[in-house]
Amino acid sequence: MLLHDWLVILTAQYNDACKLVQYGHGSSTTSHIDVAFSQCPQLQPLPRLVFALLRNPLLRFHEEGVHPDYRIYLQCLFSALEPSSLHRAIYPLLTSFATPDKQAFPRHSLSRAALITSGSPIFFLDAFTALIVFYSSTVDPTLPFPPPHDCLLRTTINKLKQERSITPKLIFIRGGQDDATAFENYLIEEQDVDGSGFTSVMGFVSFLEEINQSVLEYMK
């Protein structure tokens, strides 16, 4: 709740400082709240980072299936990371490949919709402590699995492993054949499931709408 409220207050102060909020008849209007920090590129990653951190096991209870020892491990890990590594650990990077030797797109949102609309057969997810190669169920059967050791994808993986302060776990998954839970658990930008509030399972778009409403309430 404190993290959520911190983002609400920061967003409100940003809108006020940039004079983005227009008041009419004593109250601000929804259309003029900027929750994406569009006028400040340095702050633009914050909503996604807060959204991802609210979904992170670090802030989940034992009753939700997260062991206290694992939470302590995450706290120690996150506290020791420099900013770019912490960013990756909290909000993984999802890229796609047309073949093991050719990258298709450098960045996708963490959602199943992104996988479907991209049309790419191979996805690579960098979650700092885990590196996951996911072959879609519609992949051309002539593409080698797992990717060959001399291809671009493997070169990318090896470079990341060498740069890491801890050795990430490497996982290969074939969609439609292998259990894809390890990969799908990182697709956190899914749509709102029950809409009962920010503590529930909420998609990123719904989260921004909720922040927008909370900022309006705060600024009244």
Side-chain angles (χ1 to χ4, degrees):
M1 290 177 68
L2 288 171
L3 178 60
H4 173 272
D5 289 350
W6 175 84
L7 180 61
V8 169
I9 294 168
L10 177 68
T11 306
Q13 291 181 341
Y14 156 78
N15 276 268
D16 191 47
C18 294
K19 298 186 172 21
L20 299 174
V21 182
Q22 294 188 11
Y23 295 90
H25 304 294
S27 63
S28 55
T29 57
T30 307
S31 59
H32 292 93
I33 297 292
D34 178 13
V35 295
F37 298 98
S38 58
Q39 294 190 21
C40 187
Q42 297 89 337
L43 294 178
Q44 286 172 9
L46 272 179
R48 268 194 164 86
L49 285 172
V50 170
F51 172 77
L53 193 52
L54 288 169
R55 302 284 295 271
N56 195 279
L58 179 67
L59 296 183
R60 294 197 175 275
F61 295 108
H62 182 65
E63 292 78 9
E64 296 178 274
V66 179
H67 196 281
D69 287 350
Y70 184 59
R71 286 205 309 273
I72 293 171
Y73 156 73
L74 287 178
Q75 184 177 356
C76 293
L77 173 65
F78 289 0
S79 299
L81 295 178
E82 47 82 29
S84 63
S85 296
L86 180 60
H87 189 154
R88 185 65 63 247
I90 293 175
Y91 190 89
L93 175 65
L94 180 64
T95 59
S96 61
F97 285 76
T99 70
D101 267 314
K102 182 181 179 183
Q103 188 182 76
F105 297 99
R107 182 182 295 272
H108 294 278
S109 62
L110 299 177
S111 67
R112 293 186 185 88
L115 271 62
I116 296 169
T117 57
S118 75
S120 300
I122 303 171
F123 295 89
F124 174 55
L125 186 133
D126 176 9
F128 193 79
T129 56
L131 302 174
I132 302 177
V133 177
F134 178 79
Y135 277 49
S136 73
S137 57
T138 57
V139 68
D140 186 339
T142 61
L143 290 177
F145 179 90
H149 285 280
D150 58 349
C151 69
L152 173 64
L153 180 51
R154 283 280 195 170
T155 302
T156 303
I157 291 170
N158 292 336
K159 184 173 183 292
L160 289 171
K161 289 173 71 175
Q162 290 172 0
E163 294 172 348
R164 290 282 140 93
S165 55
I166 59 174
T167 303
K169 183 178 182 180
L170 180 58
I171 304 170
F172 296 100
I173 298 173
R174 289 172 296 183
Q177 298 184 48
D178 304 327
D179 182 4
T181 303
F183 177 70
E184 292 176 347
N185 283 345
Y186 287 105
L187 304 179
I188 58 173
E189 290 195 25
E190 289 303 319
Q191 292 302 303
D192 196 350
V193 174
D194 56 18
S196 62
F198 69 87
T199 55
S200 68
V201 178
M202 179 181 287
F204 183 62
V205 173
S206 301
F207 173 74
L208 289 182
E209 292 172 352
E210 198 277 334
I211 292 295
N212 185 97
Q213 194 59 40
S214 296
V215 170
L216 285 170
E217 292 293 324
Y218 176 80
M219 300 184 78
K220 279 185 180 178

